Amino acid sequence: MRQPTGREPDRTRGGRVWKLAGLAAVAGLAWVARDVPAQLGGRLTGARADRAARSPRFHDGTFHNPAGASATMVADPGRNLVRELIFGKQKRRPGSPVPLLRPGAAPAGDPARELNVIWYGHASTLVEIEGRRVLLDPVWSDRCSPSGLVGPRRIHEPPVRLADLPPLDAVLISHDHYDHLDMETVRTLADLQSAPFVVPLGVGAHLARWGVPEHRIVELDWSESHRAGGLTLTATAAQHFSGRGLRRDGTLWSSWTITGAHRKVFYTGDSGYFDGYAEIGAEHGPFDVTLMQIGAYDRAWPHIHMFPEEAVAAHLDVRGGLLVPVHWGTFNLALHDWSEPVDRLWAEAKARDVRLAVPRPGERVVVDEPPAVDGWWQSVA
């Protein structure tokens, strides 16, 4: 018979401590993950699903790119993306803080001819056009992820608070990826603003789940338009994909045109380079300014994000005037250096005689009098 050692109480206490620690860890994980189901968004049901099914881009249960376009990864023998992500030598964050500006009042002038662009970081951009205000792909959260603890984190803060934005005439969303559609930003804008959310087909399911009233959700297929505040907002083609969870392509992706009585703007959203740009230019161009996606590219996914040189080609295809780059500088989403996209863009724009403006986050670009490109990013890279 084993003799008592006197250690049993200590073991019992130790077991209880570990059990409590385990329960606390589980509770902590549950607390952290509490918003993840909502972050995943809604699913197409009822009339929304019926409308999606009628789209020429929808078949076999999902949306599709134009014929012949692929949104799949390209195999690269001998390359390990995970190893490169962890041990790669690229400098994917700047060495110094990114300079932020707070835009003041818009310059005085003829309201009917007004056209300004304020880039807040990544794809989040305010277009001031003919006295109206359109906000593109607003993401103000700290991470573009379904979790507040993991996922790509902001490199710089938003230069203004959502509460400090002017009254908006529309919020445009290009697609439902986390770096373009942010639940907390949408909820805040739904409370602070009265503008409609104009989105590609199916994306309204996410907004509805997050509490946006149905009368403020406008869903469009490619080539469909919506009038807002005297502007015409038209969904145009893009070559990309969608999805916030394991299921892909359940909602549509889009580029956008913003057309007033005198001024026109084109925004790529996320897209690979494709023939559709020339068609957009022929049908809707020329444009006074284009907002072109330039970052988060890689040779492993060449069909879904443009390389900077392709962004210049797309700008010319759509018959753009001034080019303003977006989709760079704020989130680390690829394996290139932080400053590489805009360095390559500047070189290509000079080689092809394309007018270019590269604003600091929060800086207003007056399209008719853009600031000279000064290479500001090179001093912080």
Side-chain angles (χ1 to χ4, degrees), residues 1-358:
M1 181 176 179
R2 186 175 67 87
Q3 296 297 315
T5 63
R7 297 176 186 166
E8 283 77 359
D10 287 342
R11 286 177 180 163
T12 302
R13 276 195 297 270
R16 287 181 185 146
V17 168
W18 281 109
K19 186 178 293 184
L20 289 172
L23 290 172
V26 170
L29 288 172
W31 175 258
V32 168
R34 68 193 185 283
D35 285 336
V36 170
Q39 288 273 13
L40 296 177
R43 294 180 68 89
L44 275 66
T45 59
R48 186 167 275 123
D50 292 341
R51 186 173 176 212
R54 294 194 298 270
S55 169
R57 275 142 289 283
F58 191 90
H59 56 84
D60 300 326
T62 60
F63 287 95
H64 294 262
N65 280 305
S70 171
T72 58
M73 298 256 312
V74 176
D76 193 347
R79 187 178 183 209
N80 186 315
L81 289 174
V82 175
R83 185 189 304 121
E84 193 170 343
L85 178 66
I86 298 172
F87 300 109
K89 302 301 183 183
Q90 302 93 343
K91 189 176 181 183
R92 296 192 288 267
R93 301 182 70 88
S96 302
V98 175
L100 306 179
L101 297 182
R102 185 179 181 85
D110 181 0
R113 297 283 177 177
E114 177 192 36
L115 183 55
N116 311 314
V117 170
I118 302 174
W119 177 62
Y120 296 119
H122 199 59
S124 303
T125 307
L126 181 69
V127 175
E128 302 173 326
I129 174 172
E130 299 180 3
R132 305 299 181 179
R133 305 291 177 265
V134 179
L135 185 62
L136 309 178
D137 283 353
V139 175
W140 257 249
S141 288
D142 191 47
R143 297 183 188 273
C144 54
S145 165
S147 168
L149 289 184
V150 297
R153 191 170 189 177
R154 300 186 71 94
I155 290 171
H156 65 81
E157 293 297 313
V160 300
R161 301 182 308 157
L162 285 172
D164 294 332
L165 292 177
L168 302 172
D169 292 277
V171 179
L172 280 189
I173 304 296
S174 64
H175 63 296
D176 70 1
H177 287 158
Y178 290 98
D179 58 320
H180 294 258
L181 179 64
D182 176 54
M183 180 180 75
E184 291 305 323
T185 302
V186 165
R187 285 176 166 174
T188 302
L189 287 172
D191 289 339
L192 294 176
Q193 300 275 350
S194 60
F197 291 80
V198 186
V199 302
L201 286 180
V203 175
H206 302 321
L207 306 186
R209 181 172 184 184
W210 300 337
V212 178
E214 286 287 352
H215 73 271
R216 290 180 59 187
I217 300 172
V218 178
E219 295 180 81
L220 300 180
D221 201 347
W222 295 349
S223 298
E224 293 181 342
S225 299
H226 175 72
R227 292 282 291 176
L231 303 174
T232 299
L233 312 174
T234 302
T236 45
Q239 182 174 287
H240 199 55
F241 68 106
S242 66
R244 297 178 70 84
L246 297 178
R247 183 172 180 264
R248 275 183 49 158
D249 302 337
T251 64
L252 186 59
W253 47 95
S254 181
S255 59
W256 289 96
T257 70
I258 305 171
T259 304
H262 305 287
R263 314 306 300 259
K264 288 184 181 180
V265 179
F266 176 70
Y267 168 48
T268 59
D270 275 5
S271 178
Y273 182 72
F274 72 127
D275 293 341
Y277 287 127
E279 297 172 8
I280 291 168
E283 182 175 356
H284 300 283
F287 296 95
D288 298 286
V289 62
T290 68
L291 306 172
M292 308 299 291
Q293 168 258 306
I294 68 164
Y297 51 81
D298 192 277
R299 64 182 187 269
W301 52 86
H303 305 299
I304 58 175
H305 282 171
M306 287 187 288
F307 292 87
E309 295 80 9
E310 292 176 322
V312 173
H315 169 85
L316 293 171
D317 285 349
V318 300
R319 303 163 63 200
L322 180 69
L323 191 162
V324 176
V326 299
H327 205 270
W328 79 281
T330 305
F331 295 108
N332 177 9
L333 301 176
L335 301 175
H336 53 65
D337 287 349
W338 175 78
S339 62
E340 181 186 298
V342 72
D343 282 333
R344 289 174 58 171
L345 179 78
W346 193 11
E348 185 71 5
K350 287 187 287 189
R352 303 192 67 173
D353 197 26
V354 165
R355 294 173 59 229
L356 178 68
V358 185

